[in-house]
Amino acid sequence: MATAMPTQVRAALSMVIIVLVGAAAVEAQRDACGADLSTFLPSPFSSSRFHCAPVWNSFILRHFQNGDNIMSIVLSATYTSGWVGIGFSSDGKMVGSSAMIGWIDNHGRAYIKQYYLRGQTSSAVKVDQGNLLTTDTRPAVVLYGDNIYLAFQLNFSVQPAQQHIIVASSAITPNKFHLAEHDDKATLSFDDFSSGDPVSTYYPYQLKRNHGALAMFGWGILLPLGAIVARYLRHKDPLSYYLHVLMQFLGYIIGLAGVVSGIALYNRIHSNFTIHRGLGISVLALGSLQVIAFFLRPNPDSKARKYWNRYHHWLGRLCLFFAAVNVALGIEIGGADMSWKVIYGAFISVILITVTFLEIKLWNMLAKASTLGIQMPTCNFET
């Protein structure tokens, strides 16, 4: 005789079914190369002839050549807000490229526009300009499930062969067609754009930014500030001593994280910036020697303390100099935008002015103290 299923078991089975159905629904909303575009995209963008490839993160690129060098392109990506774009570049760089950008505004209206990226600032990104030749086929932007689809046609003057493509996105919706800076981007290279998969994908822009930010803050900002505290706040000892140690150790740890991210970046892109890499190794070596010296410093009354002070003093200065040069070099060769140059340039300018003022003040105090026979306080690290 069949027995009734217990209430707890029925509830548990119902929950499992709900979870499985929900997971299946979420999976169905994700785009894939086998998806049927004819249910939501107009012709010719619903064709089954598309060459399809997942290219980066959730980005999927579909394209096929209609004939007469006319290319139909559909770019899709997971979307919640902001804009999604695809740029066409002759050298793989964003500056100088032309891009098709699509988004859904706060009122649910869809937009797709061509932009010309004349520079790295927002003001240099020009709407309704660019070198892309579109056809009479009306482009489309569709939000379907969790994905946005940008569909358009381009007319190439010659058979599209080797091509560099940049895909990018931002979570900030354009305001009056002005684009916010991208959150992340990737460069794709095609040997034969008309039919092939990308030969190489994904330039690690976020890793490059992390490397630059960590190196700048650790080696380029915290270490100089710690040195200033040690030299010009001697009269606040032991506070200056503890601040100096804290800032230098934090700077070293953050700078070391920058070195690790730099190694990971080099393993990804195999860049040939030998001077930058050599200076980075020198800064790491000098910083490590300073850390070792901290644990091996002799007592203040030891005869060796004088030599230790000179060693610590001059190796520290050399480390700071190499770090400042290398941070500036990294900003330049990394193609950082103007905000990085302004921030670090302003910091270096303030540091130089401050150090000049404090050094003059310190020497005047030392001269007066020498005249009066007064012994000036010394730092635990400095002579």
Side-chain angles (χ1 to χ4, degrees), residues 49-76:
R49 298 168 55 194
F50 275 109
H51 182 84
C52 179
V55 290
W56 174 65
N57 289 349
S58 66
F59 283 72
I60 294 178
L61 180 63
R62 297 172 172 90
H63 59 285
F64 81 91
Q65 187 172 342
N66 299 18
D68 299 327
N69 300 331
I70 294 177
M71 183 77 70
S72 296
I73 298 171
V74 177
L75 178 72
S76 65

Side-chain angles (χ1 to χ4, degrees), residues 42-317:
S43 178
F45 307 117
S46 56
S47 172
S48 60
R49 298 168 55 194
F50 275 109
H51 182 84
C52 179
V55 290
W56 174 65
N57 289 349
S58 66
F59 283 72
I60 294 178
L61 180 63
R62 297 172 172 90
H63 59 285
F64 81 91
Q65 187 172 342
N66 299 18
D68 299 327
N69 300 331
I70 294 177
M71 183 77 70
S72 296
I73 298 171
V74 177
L75 178 72
S76 65
T78 301
Y79 184 82
T80 54
S81 64
W83 57 263
V84 169
I86 176 171
F88 295 80
S89 171
S90 60
D91 56 7
K93 297 181 180 179
M94 182 167 282
V95 175
S97 65
S98 301
M100 298 297 290
I101 309 292
W103 69 92
I104 309 294
D105 71 7
N106 298 329
H107 302 287
R109 293 172 297 198
Y111 293 90
I112 183 168
K113 290 281 187 178
Q114 183 176 173
Y115 286 82
Y116 179 64
L117 288 73
R118 193 169 59 188
Q120 294 181 329
T121 61
S122 295
S123 60
V125 179
K126 301 300 183 181
V127 65
D128 292 327
Q129 296 185 26
N131 300 319
L132 302 178
L133 299 177
T134 57
T135 68
D136 294 333
T137 300
R138 187 174 180 179
V141 177
V142 175
L143 186 62
Y144 184 77
D146 293 335
N147 304 283
I148 189 171
Y149 293 79
L150 279 61
F152 56 94
Q153 278 191 341
L154 296 180
N155 190 348
F156 290 88
S157 57
V158 295
Q159 174 78 15
Q162 189 175 31
Q163 180 67 57
H164 299 289
I165 287 179
I166 302 168
V167 290
S169 64
S170 170
I172 302 176
T173 303
N175 181 21
K176 297 180 180 179
F177 303 111
H178 294 292
L179 296 185
E181 184 179 359
H182 59 270
D183 296 325
D184 208 353
K185 63 179 179 178
T187 300
L188 320 174
S189 296
F190 291 81
D191 277 346
D192 185 0
F193 182 56
S194 62
S195 60
D197 288 328
V199 177
S200 60
T201 63
Y202 181 51
Y203 184 92
Y205 293 97
Q206 187 60 50
L207 181 60
K208 184 175 77 170
R209 282 195 291 267
N210 292 343
H211 167 64
L214 289 168
M216 179 191 293
F217 188 63
W219 301 124
I221 294 179
L222 279 180
L223 290 190
L225 291 177
I228 288 174
V229 167
R231 182 163 180 81
Y232 301 113
L233 294 181
R234 303 178 183 184
H235 57 288
K236 298 293 185 180
D237 199 44
L239 176 62
S240 62
Y241 167 77
Y242 292 122
L243 282 176
H244 174 70
V245 172
L246 176 63
M247 297 177 78
Q248 301 306 82
F249 268 100
L250 280 177
Y252 178 79
I253 292 171
I254 295 173
L256 180 61
V259 171
V260 172
S261 62
I263 293 172
L265 182 64
Y266 175 77
N267 291 336
R268 292 274 189 90
I269 64 176
H270 301 287
S271 57
N272 194 30
F273 302 125
T274 54
I275 297 177
H276 181 63
R277 189 164 64 251
L279 285 173
I281 294 171
S282 300
V283 171
L284 177 62
L286 291 171
S288 300
L289 288 173
Q290 293 290 70
V291 172
I292 295 171
F294 171 79
F295 294 103
L296 298 179
R297 70 190 189 283
N299 294 325
D301 55 353
S302 172
K303 293 182 179 180
R305 184 59 180 247
K306 176 176 66 174
Y307 303 103
W308 183 93
N309 282 340
R310 290 175 181 173
Y311 158 87
H312 179 70
H313 190 180
W314 288 106
L315 255 68
R317 286 185 172 183

